[in-house]
Amino acid sequence: MAMVGDSINDATVLAVADIGITLNTGTETAIEAVEATILDSDLLLISKAIRLSDSTVRNSRQNLFRGFCL
């Protein structure tokens, strides 16, 4: 489960979520509880961060495959 939040009320849910994302405008408690902080207040950057994460995982898997199979 992924959770996006920015306030102290969201901090507990952000901490137990599989992936927690907050904006830089969030409270310190929320920022400390998450795995990723978006450094802008633009919500569209969240989808960009998810796409970047997917690309990174795909690239890592390809490198592992090449490393073990070649």
Side-chain angles (χ1 to χ4, degrees):
M1 165 185 78
M3 171 67 181
V4 178
D6 65 351
S7 68
I8 197 162
N9 297 333
D10 301 329
T12 35
V13 178
L14 288 167
V16 298
D18 294 329
I19 298 172
I21 301 173
T22 189
L23 302 176
N24 193 29
T25 58
T27 62
E28 189 69 28
T29 307
I31 291 173
E32 289 179 7
V34 299
E35 288 77 22
T37 301
I38 305 295
L39 296 178
D40 196 359
S41 60
D42 185 10
L43 292 175
L44 296 176
L45 291 175
I46 295 169
S47 64
K48 187 174 182 179
I50 292 170
R51 285 194 310 272
L52 177 63
S53 173
D54 289 340
S55 296
T56 302
V57 169
R58 184 173 45 252
N59 189 18
S60 296
R61 288 181 179 157
Q62 289 172 352
N63 288 340
L64 283 170
F65 176 76
R66 289 178 187 150
F68 286 118
C69 294
L70 297 179

